[in-house]
Amino acid sequence: MRFAAVAAAALLIGATPLATHADAVTLFRAGNYAAAAEIGRVEHTPRSLAIAARAELTRAAFMTTDRAEAKALVLQGENDADAALRIDPASYDALFQRGSGIGYRATLTNSPKLAGQAHALFEQLAKSDPQRVEAWLGLGAWNGEAVDQLGRMMASIALGAKVSAMDKAFETAERLDPRNPIPFTYHGCLLLRIDADSATRARALLEQAARIRPREAVEATAQRGGNEVLALLARGDVKAARLVAKKLGSFSRLI
């Protein structure tokens, strides 16, 4: 079983080559994760190091098939987040990536203790700045992934994770950032993964995501994955749609 917490950008992205002089933010937005991480460390600002952390964690969760490599990338991402926090201990971006890294380690090691730490950090961030979308995405994913992996009863007993908490967090993220397809896509896919009877509601969320124009690579890739699930739902193939939705989850590529 996996204990999950996932960052706001937690979906597979295809790398896009850019000029070597591009900064970490530009490289990340284009989906060039390895370069974004490298340049982020060179720039060595709280923001660029948080970008480096996000890049490495995304590679770990969605781009590698090797478990040892995934663990190494998660560790590197956590190190980058910690480097950012040494410069600015209050950096929201770095704290969020730190929480994501802890959550990913929880997933890879089946650790409820680490899962609880990730959840606590996401809740802290949501309270500190409730108008930012990232922590709400993290809370939505954390609850939904836990219920999907453990079942409703065990997720509630072991971690306090609930579908209602998932819904509340994702709905907040959707309200705060309605031009972002990621919360709609992830919300719809998790509903579908948890319960086949949620297909109608999941389809509505994925249709909303499909109408949004992506602003960067991470959003475009999330939308493409959601559109694949949506096409299967439109054909009435809920079983196949649930399988594809499962493949969009973190660490689903690990062999």
Side-chain angles (χ1 to χ4, degrees), residues 147-162:
V147 173
D148 178 47
Q149 294 299 321
L150 301 176
R152 292 174 188 259
M153 182 177 294
M154 283 303 300
S156 178
I157 293 171
L159 296 172
K162 298 179 180 180

Side-chain angles (χ1 to χ4, degrees), residues 68-213:
E69 182 181 6
K71 288 181 178 179
L73 288 167
V74 168
L75 178 60
Q76 180 60 63
E78 290 189 79
N79 288 340
D80 291 330
D82 287 342
L85 291 169
R86 284 194 290 272
I87 302 171
D88 180 6
S91 168
Y92 180 106
D93 293 327
L95 286 167
F96 178 73
Q97 298 307 324
R98 184 186 202 181
S100 297
I102 293 171
Y104 283 151
R105 252 194 308 134
T107 298
L108 291 171
T109 61
N110 294 324
S111 170
K113 180 179 179 180
L114 289 175
Q117 290 175 8
H119 183 261
L121 188 45
F122 290 150
E123 284 200 319
Q124 173 190 326
L125 289 172
K127 290 177 182 177
S128 70
D129 192 346
Q131 296 306 306
R132 287 201 56 165
V133 70
E134 292 92 335
W136 296 112
L137 278 171
L139 287 168
W142 186 92
N143 281 279
E145 292 274 3
V147 173
D148 178 47
Q149 294 299 321
L150 301 176
R152 292 174 188 259
M153 182 177 294
M154 283 303 300
S156 178
I157 293 171
L159 296 172
K162 298 179 180 180
V163 173
S164 59
M166 175 192 76
D167 286 336
K168 179 181 178 181
F170 275 131
E171 286 164 6
T172 302
E174 290 153 13
R175 175 179 56 80
L176 291 173
D177 195 2
R179 295 174 56 232
N180 186 349
I182 291 175
F184 298 97
T185 298
Y186 211 169
H187 192 184
C189 285
L190 276 168
L191 279 171
L192 192 62
R193 286 161 55 182
I194 291 167
D195 186 358
D197 290 337
S198 296
T200 299
R201 190 173 167 213
R203 179 174 176 176
L205 286 162
L206 294 172
E207 287 174 340
Q208 176 65 26
R211 290 192 288 268
I212 298 170
R213 182 176 181 178

Side-chain angles (χ1 to χ4, degrees), residues 212-224:
I212 298 170
R213 182 176 181 178
R215 298 165 295 188
E216 57 184 7
V218 64
E219 295 180 1
T221 304
Q223 188 183 68
R224 285 196 296 272

